[in-house]
Amino acid sequence: MTSVQGTAVDVPTADGVADAYLARPDDGLPHPGVLLYQDAFGLRPHLRSMADRLAGEGYTVLVPNVFYRHGRSPVFDLPEFIDTDARPDLWNAIGPVMQSLTPELAMRDAGSYLAWLAESPFVADGPVALTGYCMGARLVLLTAGTYPDRVAAAAGFHGGRLATDAPDSPHLVADHVTAELYFGHADEDASMPPEQIRLLEETLTAAGVRHRSEVYPGAHHGYTQADTSAYHREAAERHWAALLDLLKRTF
């Protein structure tokens, strides 16, 4: 791994300014870009450390605060270790903010994030990759379908509600996706039950999308997040292996 430089940056959007974290190899050269989408808890030290790890593998990684309309990060008053069973009140604050980020708003923002990466001197020319966690996995799939010419590969981990009967379900963009996709599902995740996994698989296959979908045994929703009670070390390391394999094959 190479040495990494991490900085706070601001990304102009149609609706304001999204604060973000940028991690990149500390060599001043352009590298393949990666847009990392947060989970519901938002931009915080753990996500910065994930971006640093990716940057150490040779990528320029942007982690936007997708909740910027509600303030700069940290948007929520989070404990150092997040256990929602011990702090059920957290969802009272997080839930309405999540609901306010509609697919329309999120994809308008995605265009701004992708444009910022395209203009950065630290990002190599060409399409970028996406990775997302929990709600971020939904944003990954929507972004891949909304901006197919800008996305070469996309991965989502412990995503929820990726294939429902809702009219704006993320899986419905499959016909527009040109990127290669990877999904690492948690097998103990009520938000992504087997029937949704099957529907997602069937839809991607019917659309001719290159993809791989795996279920991680013993893993709960949020298994990659080491600052939460859902963390599962084995599953998290499996996620890193799958993500880096996808990126290396893409770039």
Side-chain angles (χ1 to χ4, degrees):
M1 292 182 67
T2 61
S3 61
V4 170
Q5 180 173 331
T7 56
V9 298
D10 285 339
V11 179
T13 74
D15 298 322
V17 176
D19 56 302
Y21 180 71
L22 184 72
R24 60 181 177 84
D26 192 18
D27 57 10
L29 300 175
H31 293 270
V34 178
L35 175 59
L36 190 159
Y37 278 125
Q38 65 176 63
D39 62 358
F41 299 124
L43 181 53
R44 60 193 192 282
H46 176 62
L47 288 187
R48 293 184 181 94
S49 71
M50 293 183 76
D52 289 346
R53 181 166 174 174
L54 269 181
E57 297 288 344
Y59 304 98
T60 296
V61 187
L62 181 70
V63 191
N65 166 23
V66 302
F67 295 150
Y68 70 89
R69 292 177 181 83
H70 298 269
R72 298 180 72 86
S73 56
V75 176
F76 310 113
D77 182 18
L78 298 173
E80 185 173 341
F81 182 76
I82 304 168
D83 183 348
T84 54
D85 288 336
R87 287 283 308 278
D89 59 296
L90 284 175
W91 291 119
N92 295 332
I94 295 172
V97 174
M98 287 181 61
Q99 293 298 320
S100 71
L101 186 64
T102 64
E104 179 183 5
L105 290 178
M107 290 306 96
R108 192 156 73 209
D109 292 341
S112 298
Y113 306 147
L114 293 171
W116 192 95
L117 285 167
E119 295 167 3
S120 172
F122 302 116
V123 178
D125 293 339
V128 303
L130 315 173
T131 185
Y133 304 88
C134 300
M135 62 166 280
R138 290 173 53 86
L139 300 180
V140 158
L141 183 50
L142 288 170
T143 302
T146 305
Y147 300 95
D149 60 327
R150 291 290 301 125
V151 180
F157 299 93
H158 45 81
R161 298 183 59 78
L162 297 178
T164 72
D165 58 4
D168 59 357
S169 177
H171 79 291
L172 297 176
V173 304
D175 285 339
H176 304 289
V177 173
T178 58
E180 181 177 351
L181 305 184
Y182 176 89
F183 293 99
H185 305 291
D187 75 341
E188 299 182 26
D189 189 348
S191 70
M192 194 64 190
E195 57 269 23
Q196 283 196 43
I197 295 175
R198 284 195 298 272
L199 178 57
L200 177 63
E201 280 271 333
E202 291 167 358
T203 305
L204 293 175
T205 299
V209 177
R210 293 167 297 151
H211 71 280
R212 185 177 179 186
S213 181
E214 299 182 312
V215 178
Y216 291 14
H220 294 269
H221 184 82
Y223 62 76
T224 61
Q225 304 300 298
D227 61 346
T228 76
S229 58
Y231 180 64
H232 187 293
R233 182 178 180 83
E234 181 180 348
E237 289 306 310
R238 180 177 175 181
H239 131 269
W240 281 115
L243 176 58
L244 291 174
D245 176 66
L246 176 67
L247 296 181
K248 288 173 182 175
R249 286 187 291 104
T250 302
F251 296 115

